[in-house]
Every structure is written in structure tokens, then in C-alpha cells.
Amino acid sequence: MATPSRRAVARALHAVFGRGERVPERWDQNLSGADAPLAQALLGICLRRWGAMGAWARPKLKDPRRGLPIGSQVALAIGLAQLGWLEGVAPHAAVNEAVDLAADAELGFPVHKGLVNALLRKAASDSAGLRAALEALADADRTEFMDWVLESALAPRHQEARAAEAWARLNQPPRPAFRVLRGDPPEGLEADPRVEGGWRLLSGAPWPLAWLREGSGMVQDASSQALMAFAWSERPTHILDACAAPGGKTTALSRRFPEASLTALERSPTRAARLRENLAARRVHATVVEAEAAAWMAQSQDAFDLILLDAPCSGTGTIQKHPELAWIGGDLDFRDLAKRQRALLEAAWPRLAPGGLLIYAVCSWLPEEGLTLREAFLRAHPEARPVPVWGAPFGLDGSPSSVFLPDPLTWEGEGFQAFALTR
Ligand SMILES: C[S@@+](CC[C@H](N)C(=O)[O-])C[C@H]1O[C@@H](n2cnc3c(N)ncnc32)[C@H](O)[C@@H]1O
């Protein structure tokens, strides 16, 4: 029987490639000790190299056009990923576990047990050759959807010709980044030169789980940290975080403006519960309201002098953390997303006090979710004025800039588009 870590990876791959869903949020929560990092590494390889592994297997099938059922694809990928890239796994163990998965009625396609066995045994006899063959097929990992995303990410700086370079950077796991909230950082973190006050995990260091759980620190990507370092010298008294869970930016707002009252909206009940838990552990004082933000803002009479609208989006900027997006992102309803983003921005605008600051942000590279929305909003609202609050290297219209747009070729952090407005 395959180990819990391989079974968890198989379930996550079924969610993505079988059902077109994202990797479930807590897919690895029942794994313990060394199992969790192994499973995370294995899942990452399977998602990032799925195309190459499929392209490797297809010509070896009797009928390449028919392909393989999902259960066989998953078992084969889990075996190939270990043989090709995962160091420290004995080849016979990699093969046997993958064959067990293929034979599993829930997760595999038992009829193909023999085929999976034959393909993997042959591959295991020459791991270096396998790795070279898979690397030669790397183009198959870049989906059409990613071509579109890369073009969008590179177009603002006219760098479209460098898509291969950008993809080579983005099809890699991200380096985890943190903020220290109380006391000293735990062992295994080093100061992050990218952002002031930021920390990052040293290569090979253990995940600081206990430190995070007790709320002494939090995970926060370098782009979010840089975004929240917007240069604004006012002292707001009423702050609204309109889309708040899991609360990274709520935490940043509260630490920066401890005197202000902070209202945090979140629509999803489970995410609102997580937001409350996170804020309590971090000793952050905020009023959490479980509500749909556009409706809440439409009926509110309050004026806020700082509004953060970290809107729901395609998440294309988080491809390093969520590599499954390359495969399922094309099925997103972009029109619906853009409609919701516009509605949230329109609802937030009347809540902004004169002279206040509204920051709209999305972790996306698609202009429809950011820059295009900004242009349309500025056309429709002549009273809205851009505020230059971000310095190099994030600006697009000079430094300081009213637009936050990290360069995917030089900045090691998530893709974002943000803009700052006042009235
Ligand atoms: C991009 S995430 C926010 C991340 C958060 N600001 C942080 O830094 O930790 C967007 C959040 O908004 C929530 N959300 C989406 N649509 C919403 C809406 N219409 N009203 C309120 N919350 C919404 C989502 O459930 C999600 O938790």
C-alpha cells in the first residue's frame, strides 16, 4: 500500500487534473513529520512537470491518441517525478509505490498496473537518461494559458520576447517569506534583502510551524510586504480592509496604524473563522464582519480614511505557489471576475473620506483585473486622483508611482497589480 504522503499527492492531483479544481487548501494536514515536506515537494514537481511527463509517456503507449485514464496518469507521474527529480528516494521504492497507486481502486486504474510497472521499471534503469529526456520535453509544461499570462505580465514593460526567461523563473517553487510580529525570528530565517523588515527561509531550514501557530510571525510574500510599505504619512483613524482573510494585510495595517479602528470584511464563513483565529493569535485588534463587501459598503454610512481592497482575482500572480493554475486557470470566468472587481471598487469609492487613500490590489498579471480597470475607473470618476505611494522597482509611471507592478524578470515575489487613489 502506498504511503500516506503519496496517497495525499494522488488525491490532490485527482482534484486538479480529474476535476479541474485547485489543490484543496489543507490537502496535507494529516501528514506528519518528514512526510509533509516530501509530499509538498512531490506535488510541486508533479504539477510543474505534468506536461513533460505526459509527453514522455504518450509515444510509449500502444495507442498514443487515446492517452491514459486519470488514475494511471497520476500513478505514473508520481513515479516519474520521484525517479527524475526527487533526491533521496530509492528507485525501487518509487516504482513499487507508484505501481501500488495504479492498482488502487480509489486512486488508480488497476487495469494499467502492468503498464505503469513496465514504464517505470524501464525508466528506473537509467535515472539520468530519464531526467535528460524529461528536461528535453520542458516546453510541454508551458500551457497556452501560461503563454497568455506571461505575455500579459511582460507587456507593460515591452518584454514579451523574454517569455521563456520569465517562465524559467516562475515554474519554480517560491522561497517562503515572513514577517516577525513578536520577539526574535526563529532559527532558520535570515533577513530578506528584498524588503525592509522582511525575513526569508534559509535553504533546507525546517518550516517554523510552532512560531507561526503561536502568532509570533506570519508568512507573507515579499510583494505583499512591499505593497503594504506604501509611502503615506497621514494618520488614519478609520480603516477598512474589504476582503481580508486570511489576514496578512489586516495584520500589516494594524501594526502600521495601531491607533486606528480597523474593520475587516470577509464573505466566506470558513475564511472569516480563519481570519479571526489568525488575528487573535497575532493579538491584532480588528472588527471582523462576515459579509459580502459590495453589499456591506453600499449600505454603510461610514467614511474610512484608508481602504484596502485586496480583491478576489485569478491569482495568476501566485503561479509559483499554486502551479496548478497553469492547468486550470484557462477555465476561470474572467468576465465574471472583472464584473465583481468593478462592483467592489465602485462600492468602496463612496466610503472613502475626502483626502483618504484607497488601495486596490490583485495578485494577478492580467490587465483586465488591474490596469484596465484603473483606466476605466479614472475615466468614469474625474474626482479620483492617483497618489504616488510606491518607489522603485515597483512603479510603472515613474518613481514614486501610483501603480504597483513588480517586474517578473527581476523581482522575486508574487505578481501583483495595485493602484492608489484619493478624492
Ligand atoms: C485576495 S484574498 C485577500 C487576502 C488578504 N487581504 C491577505 O492579505 O491575507 C481575497 C479574500 O476576499 C474574500 N472575498 C471574495 N469576494 C468577496 C466579497 N465580495 N466580499 C467579501 N469578501 C470577499 C475571499 O474569500 C478571500 O478571502
Side-chain angles (χ1 to χ4, degrees), residues 108-120:
F109 186 67
V111 185
H112 279 170
K113 181 180 165 190
L115 174 69
V116 170
N117 187 27
L119 287 173
L120 288 178

Side-chain angles (χ1 to χ4, degrees), residues 241-249 265-268 271 291-293 310-312 340 344:
D241 186 353
C243 292
K249 298 188 189 71
L265 309 181
E266 171 56 48
R267 180 175 69 174
S268 146
R271 289 179 68 84
E292 196 286 310
D310 194 13
R340 284 160 56 196
L344 283 164

Side-chain angles (χ1 to χ4, degrees), residues 203-420:
S203 162
W207 187 251
L209 189 60
W211 179 72
L212 293 168
R213 278 211 179 126
E214 72 192 20
S216 296
M218 66 173 176
V219 178
Q220 191 171 50
D221 181 77
S223 296
S224 287
Q225 296 186 38
L227 173 81
M228 295 309 288
F230 55 90
W232 192 57
S233 55
E234 304 297 317
R235 305 190 68 183
T237 55
H238 287 84
I239 303 179
L240 177 65
D241 186 353
C243 292
K249 298 188 189 71
T250 320
T251 305
L253 287 167
S254 150
R255 289 172 68 78
R256 182 158 166 194
F257 305 109
E259 326 265 273
S261 82
L262 178 51
T263 303
L265 309 181
E266 171 56 48
R267 180 175 69 174
S268 146
T270 43
R271 289 179 68 84
R274 198 162 146 218
L275 171 65
R276 282 195 184 94
E277 252 171 55
N278 286 344
L279 297 182
R282 296 172 193 164
R283 301 178 201 163
V284 168
H285 298 290
T287 305
V288 174
V289 182
E290 196 184 303
E292 196 286 310
W296 188 92
M297 293 188 286
Q299 58 75 45
S300 169
Q301 301 295 316
D302 296 336
F304 296 91
D305 28 26
L306 176 56
I307 299 179
L308 172 67
L309 176 52
D310 194 13
C313 70
S314 65
T316 46
T318 66
I319 188 77
Q320 287 188 264
K321 196 162 68 188
H322 300 293
E324 73 270 26
L325 279 172
W327 301 99
I328 61 172
D331 292 334
L332 287 169
D333 186 342
F334 293 99
R335 258 193 204 179
D336 180 57
L337 264 180
K339 208 167 111 193
R340 284 160 56 196
Q341 290 157 347
R342 199 168 50 242
L344 283 164
L345 182 57
E346 288 290 354
W349 186 240
R351 302 274 62 79
L352 186 69
L357 185 71
L358 185 148
I359 293 182
Y360 170 96
V362 276
C363 51
S364 162
W365 270 310
L366 303 176
E368 296 80 355
E369 302 187 73
L371 295 185
T372 310
L373 174 63
R374 174 181 181 267
E375 278 167 32
F377 188 82
L378 285 172
R379 271 199 306 273
H381 291 273
E383 77 283 13
R385 281 178 291 121
V387 193
V389 292
W390 292 289
F394 305 106
L396 196 60
D397 52 0
S399 178
S401 166
S402 63
V403 170
F404 179 90
L405 187 79
D407 178 348
L409 289 172
T410 55
W411 172 254
E412 281 181 42
E414 287 178 352
F416 257 93
Q417 285 173 92
F419 53 84

Side-chain angles (χ1 to χ4, degrees), residues 2-21:
T3 53
S5 55
R6 270 67 163 196
R7 293 180 68 78
V9 172
R11 283 203 185 87
L13 292 173
H14 273 271
V16 175
F17 296 105
R19 303 194 294 277
E21 296 167 2

